[in-house]
Protein backbone atom coordinates (compact mmCIF):
# COMPACT_ATOMS: atom_id res chain seq x y z
CA UNK A 1 0.00 0.00 0.00
CA UNK A 2 1.86 3.05 -1.25
CA UNK A 3 1.14 6.55 -2.48
CA UNK A 4 -2.46 6.63 -1.24
CA UNK A 5 -3.86 9.49 0.80
CA UNK A 6 -5.89 8.85 3.92
CA UNK A 7 -9.08 9.92 2.13
CA UNK A 8 -8.48 7.48 -0.74
CA UNK A 9 -7.78 4.64 1.70
CA UNK A 10 -11.00 5.50 3.53
CA UNK A 11 -13.07 5.43 0.34
CA UNK A 12 -11.50 2.20 -0.95
CA UNK A 13 -12.24 0.55 2.37
CA UNK A 14 -15.88 1.60 2.06
CA UNK A 15 -16.02 0.25 -1.51
CA UNK A 16 -14.67 -3.05 -0.21
CA UNK A 17 -17.38 -3.18 2.47
CA UNK A 18 -20.03 -2.62 -0.19
CA UNK A 19 -18.64 -5.42 -2.35
CA UNK A 20 -18.25 -7.78 0.60
CA UNK A 21 -21.54 -7.22 2.40
CA UNK A 22 -24.04 -5.13 0.40
CA UNK A 23 -23.59 -6.29 -3.20
CA UNK A 24 -22.23 -9.73 -2.38
CA UNK A 25 -24.65 -11.54 -4.72
CA UNK A 26 -24.01 -9.31 -7.77
CA UNK A 27 -21.63 -10.54 -10.44
CA UNK A 28 -20.97 -7.03 -11.70
CA UNK A 29 -21.15 -3.58 -10.14
CA UNK A 30 -21.05 -0.10 -11.63
CA UNK A 31 -19.37 3.02 -10.32
CA UNK A 32 -22.84 4.61 -10.26
CA UNK A 33 -24.11 1.99 -7.78
CA UNK A 34 -21.17 2.50 -5.42
CA UNK A 35 -21.36 6.28 -5.75
CA UNK A 36 -25.09 6.28 -5.04
CA UNK A 37 -24.69 4.23 -1.86
CA UNK A 38 -22.00 6.58 -0.52
CA UNK A 39 -23.39 9.84 -1.93
CA UNK A 40 -20.25 10.40 -4.00
CA UNK A 41 -19.59 11.52 -7.56
CA UNK A 42 -19.22 8.44 -9.77
CA UNK A 43 -16.18 9.98 -11.46
CA UNK A 44 -14.43 9.98 -8.07
CA UNK A 45 -15.26 6.30 -7.63
CA UNK A 46 -13.81 5.49 -11.07
CA UNK A 47 -10.61 7.41 -10.27
CA UNK A 48 -10.19 5.51 -7.01
CA UNK A 49 -10.81 2.15 -8.66
CA UNK A 50 -8.32 3.00 -11.42
CA UNK A 51 -5.63 3.20 -8.71
CA UNK A 52 -6.23 -0.49 -8.10
CA UNK A 53 -5.51 -1.33 -11.73
CA UNK A 54 -9.04 -2.53 -12.52
CA UNK A 55 -10.72 -1.65 -15.78
CA UNK A 56 -14.48 -1.68 -16.14
CA UNK A 57 -16.55 -2.37 -19.22
CA UNK A 58 -18.82 0.26 -20.70
CA UNK A 59 -22.42 -0.27 -19.56
CA UNK A 60 -21.32 -3.42 -17.70
CA UNK A 61 -19.23 -2.01 -14.89
CA UNK A 62 -16.73 -4.12 -12.97
CA UNK A 63 -16.60 -7.81 -12.10
CA UNK A 64 -17.45 -7.71 -8.39
CA UNK A 65 -15.04 -10.43 -7.26
CA UNK A 66 -12.15 -9.04 -9.32
CA UNK A 67 -12.69 -5.54 -7.95
CA UNK A 68 -12.89 -6.81 -4.38
CA UNK A 69 -9.62 -8.74 -4.76
CA UNK A 70 -7.91 -5.76 -6.40
CA UNK A 71 -8.84 -3.47 -3.51
CA UNK A 72 -7.63 -6.08 -1.01
CA UNK A 73 -4.30 -6.29 -2.81
CA UNK A 74 -3.90 -2.52 -3.11
CA UNK A 75 -4.63 -1.96 0.58
CA UNK A 76 -2.55 -4.93 1.69
CA UNK A 77 -5.37 -6.67 3.51
CA UNK A 78 -3.56 -10.02 3.45
CA UNK A 79 -0.30 -8.67 4.88
CA UNK A 80 -0.08 -9.60 8.55
CA UNK A 81 -0.43 -6.59 10.88
CA UNK A 82 0.61 -7.23 14.47
CA UNK A 83 -0.42 -4.90 17.26
CA UNK A 84 -0.56 -4.63 21.06
CA UNK A 85 -3.47 -3.28 23.07
CA UNK A 86 -2.71 -1.17 26.15
CA UNK A 87 -5.62 -1.09 28.56
CA UNK A 88 -7.60 -4.29 29.10
CA UNK A 89 -11.04 -2.85 29.83
CA UNK A 90 -14.42 -3.38 28.18
CA UNK A 91 -13.46 -1.68 24.91
CA UNK A 92 -10.26 -3.71 24.65
CA UNK A 93 -12.31 -6.85 25.25
CA UNK A 94 -14.68 -5.93 22.43
CA UNK A 95 -11.79 -5.22 20.04
CA UNK A 96 -10.00 -8.45 20.96
CA UNK A 97 -13.20 -10.41 20.31
CA UNK A 98 -13.87 -8.64 17.00
CA UNK A 99 -13.56 -11.54 14.58
CA UNK A 100 -13.57 -9.38 11.42
CA UNK A 101 -9.99 -8.34 12.25
CA UNK A 102 -9.01 -11.81 11.01
CA UNK A 103 -10.29 -10.99 7.52
CA UNK A 104 -7.79 -8.14 7.30
CA UNK A 105 -4.85 -10.02 8.86
CA UNK A 106 -4.91 -7.80 11.97
CA UNK A 107 -3.36 -9.82 14.78
CA UNK A 108 -3.62 -8.59 18.37
CA UNK A 109 -0.64 -10.33 19.96
CA UNK A 110 -1.47 -9.53 23.59
CA UNK A 111 -2.83 -6.90 25.94
CA UNK A 112 -1.14 -4.85 28.67
CA UNK A 113 -2.60 -3.52 31.89
CA UNK A 114 -1.51 -2.39 35.35
CA UNK A 115 -4.42 -3.98 37.20
CA UNK A 116 -3.01 -7.00 39.11
CA UNK A 117 -6.45 -8.63 39.03
CA UNK A 118 -6.31 -8.77 35.23
CA UNK A 119 -2.69 -9.86 34.77
CA UNK A 120 -2.48 -13.43 33.51
CA UNK A 121 -6.06 -13.58 32.28
CA UNK A 122 -6.88 -14.14 28.62
CA UNK A 123 -9.34 -12.53 26.22
CA UNK A 124 -10.11 -14.62 23.16
CA UNK A 125 -6.84 -16.46 23.67
CA UNK A 126 -4.79 -13.26 24.04
CA UNK A 127 -2.92 -12.93 27.33
CA UNK A 128 -2.98 -9.83 29.53
CA UNK A 129 0.55 -8.88 30.59
CA UNK A 130 1.85 -6.25 33.04
CA UNK A 131 2.68 -2.96 31.32
CA UNK A 132 6.26 -3.20 32.60
CA UNK A 133 6.86 -6.01 30.10
CA UNK A 134 6.14 -3.76 27.11
CA UNK A 135 9.75 -2.63 26.40
CA UNK A 136 11.10 -6.17 26.46
CA UNK A 137 8.39 -7.46 24.15
CA UNK A 138 8.78 -4.55 21.72
CA UNK A 139 12.50 -5.17 21.42
CA UNK A 140 11.95 -8.91 21.03
CA UNK A 141 9.22 -8.95 18.37
CA UNK A 142 9.85 -5.47 16.90
CA UNK A 143 6.21 -4.36 16.98
CA UNK A 144 5.81 -0.57 16.97
CA UNK A 145 1.99 -0.38 16.81
CA UNK A 146 -0.42 -0.10 19.73
CA UNK A 147 -4.14 0.34 20.29
CA UNK A 148 -4.70 2.65 23.24
CA UNK A 149 -7.83 1.95 25.34
CA UNK A 150 -6.84 3.19 28.80
CA UNK A 151 -8.94 5.63 30.89
CA UNK A 152 -8.57 9.25 29.63
CA UNK A 153 -6.71 10.42 32.72
CA UNK A 154 -4.01 7.80 32.11
CA UNK A 155 -3.71 8.25 28.34
CA UNK A 156 -0.84 10.77 28.25
CA UNK A 157 1.34 9.09 30.87
CA UNK A 158 0.87 5.66 29.26
CA UNK A 159 1.62 7.19 25.85
CA UNK A 160 4.82 8.77 27.19
CA UNK A 161 5.90 5.39 28.52
CA UNK A 162 4.98 3.57 25.30
CA UNK A 163 6.93 6.08 23.20
CA UNK A 164 9.96 5.61 25.45
CA UNK A 165 9.63 1.88 24.80
CA UNK A 166 9.79 2.43 21.04
CA UNK A 167 6.13 2.70 19.97
CA UNK A 168 5.74 4.78 16.80
CA UNK A 169 2.09 4.30 15.77
CA UNK A 170 -0.86 4.74 18.12
CA UNK A 171 -4.51 3.98 17.33
CA UNK A 172 -6.07 6.09 20.06
CA UNK A 173 -9.54 5.14 21.28
CA UNK A 174 -9.40 7.55 24.22
CA UNK A 175 -10.86 11.09 24.02
CA UNK A 176 -7.46 12.54 25.00
CA UNK A 177 -5.50 14.57 22.45
CA UNK A 178 -2.00 13.22 22.91
CA UNK A 179 1.32 15.06 22.88
CA UNK A 180 3.88 12.96 21.03
CA UNK A 181 7.25 13.49 19.31
CA UNK A 182 7.24 14.30 15.60
CA UNK A 183 8.34 10.77 14.71
CA UNK A 184 5.24 9.24 16.34
CA UNK A 185 1.87 9.16 14.57
CA UNK A 186 -1.47 9.11 16.36
CA UNK A 187 -4.71 8.03 14.68
CA UNK A 188 -7.80 9.14 16.60
CA UNK A 189 -10.92 7.00 16.82
CA UNK A 190 -13.35 9.35 18.53
CA UNK A 191 -16.64 7.54 19.05
CA UNK A 192 -18.30 10.50 20.78
CA UNK A 193 -17.38 12.85 17.92
CA UNK A 194 -18.98 10.50 15.37
CA UNK A 195 -22.15 10.19 17.42
CA UNK A 196 -22.40 13.96 17.96
CA UNK A 197 -22.09 14.54 14.22
CA UNK A 198 -25.02 12.17 13.70
CA UNK A 199 -26.98 13.86 16.50
CA UNK A 200 -26.34 17.28 14.98
CA UNK A 201 -27.85 16.05 11.72
CA UNK A 202 -30.97 14.79 13.50
CA UNK A 203 -31.69 18.14 15.15
CA UNK A 204 -31.24 20.13 11.93
CA UNK A 205 -33.74 18.03 9.95
CA UNK A 206 -37.16 19.75 10.08
CA UNK A 207 -39.82 17.60 11.71
CA UNK A 208 -42.67 16.37 9.55
CA UNK A 209 -46.10 16.52 11.14
CA UNK A 210 -48.27 13.50 10.60
CA UNK A 211 -51.27 14.02 8.32
CA UNK A 212 -54.38 13.94 10.49
CA UNK A 213 -56.58 13.03 7.55
CA UNK A 214 -57.59 9.41 7.25
CA UNK A 215 -58.54 7.66 4.09
Amino acid sequence: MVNLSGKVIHRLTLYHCILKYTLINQERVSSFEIADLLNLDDSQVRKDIALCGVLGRKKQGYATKDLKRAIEKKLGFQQRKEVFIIGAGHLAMALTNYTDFNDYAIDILCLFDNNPNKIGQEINGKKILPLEKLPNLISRVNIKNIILTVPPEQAQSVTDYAVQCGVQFIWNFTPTVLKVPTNVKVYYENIISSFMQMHQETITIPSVKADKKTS
Side-chain angles (χ1 to χ4, degrees), residues 15-86:
Y15 303 165
H16 183 267
C17 289
I18 288 173
L19 299 171
K20 185 176 180 180
Y21 299 109
T22 307
L23 304 180
I24 186 173
N25 295 319
Q26 286 189 201
E27 290 187 4
R28 303 194 72 83
V29 60
S30 71
S31 59
F32 295 98
E33 288 179 284
I34 296 175
D36 185 59
L37 285 168
L38 296 174
N39 196 26
L40 295 173
D41 190 291
D42 65 281
S43 63
Q44 179 65 68
V45 175
R46 289 195 298 273
K47 288 178 182 177
D48 294 339
I49 291 176
L51 296 173
C52 300
V54 180
L55 299 177
R57 294 182 180 179
K58 192 173 183 180
K59 296 184 179 181
Q60 293 186 33
Y62 307 89
T64 304
K65 290 183 179 179
D66 291 345
L67 179 55
K68 178 174 171 289
R69 282 194 294 264
I71 293 174
E72 291 171 351
K73 182 178 180 181
K74 187 66 176 179
L75 295 181
F77 281 173
Q78 301 310 313
Q79 298 172 8
R80 192 178 181 203
K81 308 161 194 70
E82 298 174 320
V83 64
F84 299 132
I85 292 183
I86 299 183

Side-chain angles (χ1 to χ4, degrees), residues 122-186:
E122 291 188 359
I123 303 175
N124 195 23
K126 309 297 183 179
K127 201 163 186 176
I128 302 175
L129 303 174
L131 188 57
E132 62 192 36
K133 288 194 174 182
L134 180 64
N136 178 264
L137 206 54
I138 285 180
S139 63
R140 185 153 56 90
V141 299
N142 196 32
I143 301 301
K144 304 297 179 66
N145 314 315
I146 66 165
I147 298 174
L148 189 66
T149 58
V150 299
E153 61 273 14
Q154 299 176 16
Q156 186 61 59
S157 61
V158 170
T159 295
D160 292 342
Y161 178 70
V163 170
Q164 290 176 9
C165 295
V167 165
Q168 293 182 344
F169 300 93
I170 302 171
W171 191 7
N172 180 22
F173 278 81
T174 81
T176 306
V177 177
L178 303 171
K179 296 179 181 179
V180 296
T182 55
N183 65 316
V184 176
K185 291 189 176 181
V186 180

